[in-house]
Amino acid sequence: MKRIALLTSGGDGPGLNPCIRAVTRQALKKNVEVFGVRWGYAGLLGNDMIPLLSRDVSGILGRGGTFLGTARCPEFIKIEVRRTAIRHLNQRGIEGLVVIGGNGSLAGALALHEMGFPTVGIPATIDNDIGGTEIAVGVDTALNTIVEAIDRIKDTASSHQRAFLIEVMGRDCGYLALQSGLAGGAELILVPERQDISLEHVAEVVVDAYTRGKSHCIIVIAEGWKPGTRALEDYLLSRKEDVGFDVRVTVLGHLQRGGRPLVFDRTLAIRMGAAAANALLAGESGKMVALHDGKLELFPLDEAVKALKPLDPLLLKLASVMD
Ligand code: ADP
């Protein structure tokens, strides 16, 4: 291969820029030209690509977001649309592609591979829901952001003797809620994987914290937990008299996606980026770089996008001991 391209796609998170830098510099070191596709798969369709030299990726290592931009491109699901994308790559003499993104983006990478275009993925999502890798780029920094927010909320909650419902990202996967709730000392963690927890039970936990003389009650909720944060707030407010604490809600939202990537994510991104470039140049395709027992390996994309990572039940149990 003499020329490759790379793109960032789907939900953004910290660590995408160090991935771009690593793929680019590793490929350039092997005398391979690199193109950066702007705005994810939409940029493949729009033929929006820029050549990347080593200096073009200077100064981005510590920056959040992605300097190439990312996007959602629903029409990429159609084969004729992907044919156009491959035509644009071929016209530029680009022989392989590195896709940096979450589950959906990696499904797109798999689809390109299945159409015969050499493609390697890098798992990058704050949700940590991608099968086959212990952790994805962006997860650790997002967790640190959330735990810092919980610590701050706890300060104000304790000052006023309040219960706080803190909603974090995670539509289908409670990883962020579980890990941040454990590290942030939450009294209760509510995740989509456990829909058997009733509003009555949550109220009991709040009452129990109050009667034990706690100065706060922190409940971390993944956005995918049903019946949802607002329904829980309404329920607790309807039982104002016996709940004890005043109740407040904080939805952390997009601040979880932004920010400078921390050391763990930078290192992971550099390792994964270089490994992905090397794999592609060595003729691999349809694979994703994955972390397993601290080492990088290649994992089949078709398995990665199918396997939703299960939560560690021992951690859930441990969190309930620490309330
Ligand atoms: P993430 O990569 O963060 O999970 P999305 O699920 O929104 O984000 O996926 C990002 C993009 O990947 C989509 O907008 C679409 O362009 C592409 N994509 C997702 N699923 C598929 C699929 N099954 N086939 C082809 N492309 C897909």
Side-chain angles (χ1 to χ4, degrees):
M1 267 182 208
K2 282 279 148 248
R3 189 175 288 173
I4 65 167
L6 62 93
L7 59 83
T8 50
S9 161
D12 62 309
L16 298 175
N17 279 324
C19 278
I20 295 168
R21 174 178 172 274
V23 173
T24 303
R25 291 198 170 160
Q26 178 62 84
L28 290 172
K29 274 275 154 46
K30 295 197 162 174
N31 294 319
V32 172
E33 289 179 356
V34 182
F35 275 74
V37 183
R38 305 186 67 224
W39 314 115
Y41 292 123
L44 277 188
L45 301 186
N47 213 348
D48 190 356
M49 309 179 204
I50 48 172
L52 294 177
L53 298 175
S54 193
R55 290 288 75 77
D56 297 318
V57 293
S58 292
I60 64 169
L61 179 60
R63 275 171 42 200
T66 159
F67 94 107
L68 287 174
T70 180
R72 296 212 152 80
C73 177
E75 61 268 40
F76 207 69
I77 206 126
K78 297 187 199 142
I79 189 156
E80 62 273 20
V81 168
R82 293 199 299 275
R83 268 195 208 111
T84 305
I86 292 175
R87 196 172 63 243
H88 289 155
L89 290 163
N90 286 337
Q91 279 165 353
R92 289 176 185 265
I94 293 166
E95 297 164 280
L97 178 69
V98 174
V99 170
I100 306 162
N103 253 309
S105 305
L106 296 176
L110 174 63
L112 290 173
H113 158 75
E114 285 171 345
M115 292 170 72
F117 196 86
T119 308
V120 168
I122 299 178
T125 166
I126 63 169
D127 293 334
N128 209 25
D129 58 349
I130 301 170
T133 186
E134 280 156 21
I135 198 157
V137 172
V139 176
D140 180 70
T141 303
L143 272 177
N144 277 282
T145 302
I146 296 169
V147 172
E148 187 185 342
I150 295 174
D151 288 347
R152 286 170 187 253
I153 289 169
K154 220 180 219 184
D155 288 344
T156 173
S158 302
S159 304
H160 289 274
Q161 220 185 14
R162 282 176 175 152
F164 263 85
L165 313 183
I166 305 176
E167 186 180 292
V168 303
M169 284 186 169
R171 273 196 295 269
D172 305 306
C173 174
Y175 184 89
L176 284 180
L178 174 56
Q179 297 285 340
S180 67
L182 186 66
E187 273 66 34
L188 187 62
I189 300 166
L190 300 172
V191 292
E193 290 86 343
R194 291 279 315 270
Q195 300 289 4
D196 55 329
I197 297 175
S198 65
L199 294 176
E200 290 78 12
H201 174 74
V202 179
E204 273 164 33
V205 171
V206 180
V207 171
D208 179 57
Y210 191 77
T211 49
R212 283 189 290 142
K214 286 205 150 197
S215 58
H216 60 254
C217 180
I218 302 293
I219 302 178
V220 176
I221 307 169
E223 62 182 331
W225 176 76
K226 300 276 184 311
T229 307
R230 292 295 166 189
L232 176 57
E233 180 191 20
D234 290 344
Y235 181 77
L236 293 176
L237 289 176
S238 75
R239 291 187 45 178
K240 218 176 171 138
E241 302 312 317
D242 60 321
V243 153
F245 291 108
D246 211 9
V247 178
R248 292 286 189 278
V249 173
T250 301
V251 177
L252 295 184
H254 284 79
L255 75 81
Q256 297 162 87
R257 292 199 184 276
R260 305 164 58 231
L262 299 180
V263 173
F264 181 89
D265 276 326
R266 292 187 199 195
T267 310
L268 186 66
I270 293 168
R271 291 173 70 198
M272 284 188 164
N278 285 332
L280 188 64
L281 297 178
E284 295 284 357
S285 181
K287 308 264 176 67
M288 168 190 93
V289 182
L291 192 73
H292 182 71
D293 284 341
K295 293 198 178 67
L296 290 189
E297 59 181 33
L298 292 176
F299 191 83
L301 276 175
D302 56 351
E303 286 182 42
V305 298
K306 261 189 281 174
L308 247 194
K309 206 202 295 289
L311 279 192
D312 183 348
L314 291 179
L315 277 191
L316 257 182
K317 212 161 156 201
L318 188 58
S320 70
V321 172
M322 298 292 155
D323 69 340

